Amino acid sequence: MLYPLAWLISSSLKPDALIFKDLSLWPAAWDLTHYTEGWTALEQPFTVYMVNSLVIVVLSIAGNLLSCSLAAYGFARLNFTGRKLFFTLMLGTMMLPGHVLLVPQYIVFANLGWLNTYYPLLVPNFLATNAFYIFLMVQFMRSLPRELDDAARIDGCGPFRIFWKVIMPLCVPAFATTAIFTFISTWNEFFGPLIYLTDTELYTVPLALRQFIDSEGQSQWGQMFAMSFLSLAPVIGFFIAGQKYLVKGIATTGLK
């Protein structure tokens, strides 16, 4: 499992001529210029792409945490007409392949004038469109004693105050799990930005890495591997920072 990552790091430190000739993980010759040259090799400095990806990731996490937690709270703790039906329909959306929705979504965003903007990548996250995260939070909230809600109501709390003061502080593991999954999936997302973004100034990290590959055979492999390794650092760091919450969140929601 770790060999591809080790090979990536090793190749980023080799001269281009040895990347596909020298199969050893220990470079026979070292070339550290891939990191410095790769950072400024594209039309925009790689800092621009890292910042773009970071902005989209942060807003996507905020959107999923806010919208999915509210939807999950309604399904898990509130009683309303049609709750089971709506919950079943929500779970049913998980069975729809993303390619089925691709054309209708593109038409909607095109009619709204959102092409070549971040809106198609961000707005759906604020509308609770990811059923998996809702289901994950529902499972966690159902494990919390309902006596907590009853005690809060006796103290005069309404539904939103119960959610804010009682449920949210207890759902930190589920929120951390959602944040980690959102971070990884959004940071690595290639297809969405490829469809909706055209200006290089708006490109994310995956689209920037694609620019190192030349269809005419002049690909800058060493620089691409170097930037690929650097692009993994935020994902690895975020995962390590939230690992204990991830394990606890998965264990307490019954997801295996």
Side-chain angles (χ1 to χ4, degrees):
M1 182 181 66
L2 294 177
Y3 181 81
L5 178 61
W7 186 87
L8 173 70
I9 299 173
S10 174
S11 298
S12 70
L13 300 172
K14 296 177 182 178
D16 287 337
L18 297 179
I19 290 178
F20 298 108
K21 293 182 180 180
D22 181 13
L23 300 181
S24 173
L25 292 181
W26 187 261
W30 295 74
D31 187 356
L32 301 179
T33 60
H34 291 320
Y35 288 88
T36 56
E37 294 176 356
W39 197 266
T40 56
L42 302 177
E43 186 175 343
Q44 305 290 336
F46 212 77
T47 307
V48 174
Y49 308 122
M50 296 283 279
V51 171
N52 291 343
S53 288
L54 186 62
V55 169
I56 294 176
V57 163
V58 171
L59 293 178
S60 295
I61 291 176
N64 276 333
L65 290 181
L66 176 63
S67 62
C68 293
S69 62
L70 287 171
Y73 175 70
F75 285 128
R77 314 296 283 193
L78 302 180
N79 295 318
F80 57 90
T81 303
R83 182 181 66 167
K84 293 184 179 180
L85 175 61
F86 289 125
F87 186 71
T88 302
L89 293 175
M90 183 271 296
L91 292 180
T93 62
M94 298 175 63
M95 303 178 187
L96 289 175
H99 300 85
V100 174
L101 304 176
L102 179 61
V103 174
Q105 287 179 340
Y106 186 89
I107 293 174
V108 170
F109 294 142
N111 290 333
L112 291 173
W114 287 359
L115 299 184
N116 199 34
T117 69
Y118 291 149
Y119 292 127
L121 307 176
L122 296 176
V123 172
N125 295 319
F126 286 88
L127 300 176
T129 59
N130 197 308
F132 173 76
Y133 298 141
I134 298 175
F135 177 70
L136 185 148
M137 294 184 186
V138 166
Q139 293 296 97
F140 189 92
M141 291 181 185
R142 284 177 175 174
S143 67
L144 302 177
R146 285 190 172 272
E147 288 77 10
L148 297 174
D149 299 27
D150 298 335
R153 290 191 186 93
I154 293 175
D155 291 336
C157 294
F160 284 102
R161 193 172 181 184
I162 293 175
F163 170 74
W164 185 258
K165 294 291 186 179
V166 179
I167 302 300
M168 280 192 64
L170 297 175
C171 289
V172 172
F175 290 168
T177 303
T178 300
I180 293 173
F181 285 160
T182 302
F183 187 102
I184 295 175
S185 62
T186 304
W187 185 270
N188 295 331
E189 174 66 23
F190 176 79
F191 196 54
L194 177 66
I195 293 175
Y196 297 115
L197 303 180
T198 56
D199 290 344
T200 56
E201 295 180 356
L202 301 176
Y203 275 11
T204 58
V205 168
L207 293 184
L209 294 176
R210 178 62 181 80
Q211 294 184 82
F212 285 108
I213 301 178
D214 189 348
S215 60
E216 298 180 357
Q218 302 296 322
S219 302
Q220 301 166 299
W221 295 108
Q223 296 178 11
M224 184 185 71
F225 292 147
M227 294 302 100
S228 297
F229 174 64
L230 292 181
S231 67
L232 289 174
V235 178
I236 296 174
F238 194 80
F239 178 82
I240 293 176
Q243 184 179 13
K244 64 177 182 178
Y245 296 107
L246 176 65
V247 174
K248 185 176 180 181
I250 293 177
T252 52
T253 53
L255 300 178
K256 298 181 180 179

